[in-house]
Amino acid sequence: MIIVMSTEASEDNVLEVLRRLEDRGYGHHISRGVERTIIGAIGAPDGEKRAVAEQLGQLAGVERVVPILRPYKLVSREHHADTTTVNIGSFSFGRDRVGVIAGPCSIESREQILEVATKVKAAGAIALRGGAYKPRTSPYAFQGLGKEGLELLKEAGAATGLPVVTEVMDLRHVEVVHDFADCLQIGTRNMQNYDLLREVGRTSKPIILKRSYAATVDEWLQAAEYIASAGNLQIILCERGIRTFETATRFTFDLAGAVHARFETHLPIIADPSHAAGNHRLVGPLAMAALAAGLDGLMIEVHPHPDRALSDGPQSLTPRRFEALMASLAGAARAAGREL
Ligand code: PEP
Ligand code: MN
C-alpha cells in the first residue's frame, strides 16, 4: 500500500507512520516531494492489510492510504494468467467453445421439465437449468417444488443426457442439492451469504456464482474468492443484471462490468440475459452482445408455455424462440473467435 501524507504533515507524523509500519513487520520506502511525502509499505503480511490500512488512515498527517494489491488472490488473473476450464458434464467452459445452459425458471411438473429438456437439448443447449428452491420476493409466490423438483430435474437430465444446474439457497440444502445436481447455482440474493459460499466451496461440484444485483465487480470477485479459498476453483461467474435508476428493463445488464471482470479474473464468465432483461424480446440481442464481447457462455430461461409459467414467464423464451436464437448465436460467438 501507499501512504500519502498531507501537505501539512510534520516530520513527527511521518516518523509515527514509519514506526507503525515497522511494528507490523512492513518495510518502507520514503519519497519526499516538494509538496508532500509519500511512503510505500513493503512486504505486507497477508490477511491484515485492510485493517492496517484503515488504522494508518487514522494517524495525524495521513491524507489517504492507497491499497496496491487486489483484495482477492486465488481468482485473480495476476495470480493465474490462463483462463480456468470449468466442466459442467462433458462441456468445458473457458475454452474455444461457448456453452448455453437453458431451462425454465422453476421446475413445475414432470411434463414441463421433460418437454423443455428435450427441446433445449435438440436446439444445442449443453446443460439443463431449473429451480427447485426459489428465492421469491414475495413469501406468497410459488416457492418451488423442493426435493420433488430436484428429482424431476434429475430425471429430465437423465432422459436427455444433459447435466443439470439448480440453485442452492440455504446451507441446509447444500447436501441434497449436491446429491441431485451436476452444478450448483448461487443466486443473486445469496452472493454475499458467506457461510453458503464457504459450504459450496467445500464441495467438488462446479459452482455458478451469480453477481448480486447490488454488488460491484470487486465484491463479486471477493465472493468468488470465498468459494476458492474453501478449496473449490470450479467457479463460473454469471452476470445477470444490476439495479440502477433505469426501470425500463428489470435490471441493467452490465456487460461492461462482465468484460472488465474478464481482465481481472481467470474464471470463465457467462451472462444471463433473461433476468437482466425481464422481457423475452430483449433476451436475444443481449445474448448476442454477450457472446460477441467474448463471454464464455449464456444461461437462458425457456418455458414451453411462458403464459402459464409459475415464475419469470415474461422473460422466458418459448422452445421455438430459443431454437431460433441458438441458430443466430453461432455468428456472435464467431465474432469473438469462438464456436458455439
Ligand atoms: C434464477 O436463475 O431463476 C434466479 C432466481 O436468478 P437470480 O438469482 O439471478 O435472480
Ligand atoms: Mn428466474
Side-chain angles (χ1 to χ4, degrees):
M1 68 191 131
I2 290 173
I3 298 109
V4 181
M5 303 303 291
S6 74
T7 48
E8 285 95 48
S10 68
E11 187 56 24
D12 275 354
N13 293 158
V14 173
L15 292 176
E16 178 58 22
V17 171
L18 299 184
R19 249 194 310 275
R20 290 277 191 125
L21 286 173
E22 285 161 15
D23 285 352
R24 295 304 203 104
Y26 291 72
H28 46 71
H29 179 272
I30 311 189
S31 159
R32 292 179 195 274
V34 182
E35 299 262 335
R36 62 174 89 230
T37 296
I38 290 173
I39 303 167
I42 302 161
D46 259 355
E48 298 181 8
K49 287 177 216 163
R50 159 89 40 121
V52 173
E54 287 174 359
Q55 291 161 9
L56 292 172
Q58 300 294 308
L59 294 179
V62 173
E63 186 175 291
R64 83 198 122 95
V65 180
V66 187
I68 299 297
L69 290 180
R70 290 170 173 78
Y72 43 85
K73 184 168 163 186
L74 299 176
V75 306
S76 79
R77 247 194 223 279
E78 229 170 34
H79 183 76
H80 181 101
D82 297 331
T83 301
T84 288
T85 299
V86 179
N87 295 318
I88 298 184
S90 61
F91 187 85
S92 300
F93 282 90
R95 308 277 288 268
D96 303 341
R97 287 179 59 211
V98 298
V100 181
I101 301 165
C105 180
S106 303
I107 303 143
E108 298 172 3
S109 68
R110 170 176 281 111
E111 299 67 43
Q112 175 238 22
I113 193 71
L114 276 171
E115 180 177 350
V116 187
T118 311
K119 291 187 171 159
V120 299
K121 161 99 194 227
I126 61 92
L128 175 66
R129 64 147 286 151
Y133 298 96
K134 296 302 303 176
R136 304 305 303 281
T137 302
S138 164
Y140 307 117
F142 176 61
Q143 304 285 308
L145 295 180
K147 184 154 182 252
E148 186 196 342
L150 294 177
E151 286 162 359
L152 296 175
L153 181 66
K154 190 169 175 143
E155 185 185 331
T160 50
L162 288 175
V164 297
V165 180
T166 197
E167 175 167 354
V168 56
M169 265 175 55
D170 190 298
L171 270 181
R172 292 167 299 181
H173 298 144
V174 172
E175 204 174 313
V176 67
V177 173
H178 180 273
D179 286 348
F180 281 92
D182 300 293
C183 170
L184 313 185
Q185 175 177 322
I186 300 290
T188 195
R189 292 159 186 84
N190 267 316
M191 190 208 83
Q192 286 174 315
N193 182 339
Y194 299 120
D195 287 337
L196 185 60
L197 298 178
R198 276 203 203 88
E199 196 61 27
V200 299
R202 289 191 196 104
T203 73
S204 52
K205 292 264 161 104
I207 309 296
I208 292 180
L209 177 64
K210 288 198 156 190
R211 178 180 179 183
S212 160
Y213 58 70
T216 62
V217 169
D218 197 77
E219 288 163 337
W220 187 20
L221 297 178
Q222 291 193 66
E225 186 81 7
Y226 263 90
I227 300 172
S229 65
N232 187 352
L233 261 161
Q234 290 286 293
I235 307 164
I236 298 172
L237 298 169
C238 180
E239 160 61 31
R240 48 80 68 210
I242 56 174
R243 189 153 277 172
T244 69
F245 54 81
E246 179 59 77
T247 54
T249 51
R250 188 177 179 194
F251 292 92
T252 297
F253 182 51
D254 186 16
L255 183 54
V259 172
H260 167 71
R262 287 195 90 221
F263 289 104
E264 295 295 313
T265 181
H266 55 85
L267 299 174
I269 304 179
I270 64 173
D272 166 355
S274 306
H275 287 87
N279 178 333
H280 72 88
R281 289 183 303 174
L282 275 58
V283 169
L286 298 186
M288 303 274 279
L291 293 190
L295 298 198
D296 300 291
L298 297 165
M299 175 181 272
I300 294 178
E301 286 189 339
V302 180
H303 194 289
H305 306 284
D307 57 331
R308 277 184 254 147
L310 297 181
S311 61
D312 288 349
Q315 68 201 30
S316 297
L317 300 186
T318 58
R320 190 190 295 266
R321 286 195 171 113
F322 178 68
E323 193 189 335
L325 174 60
M326 287 296 279
S328 56
L329 285 177
R334 234 172 282 124
R338 314 282 282 274
E339 294 295 323
L340 185 64

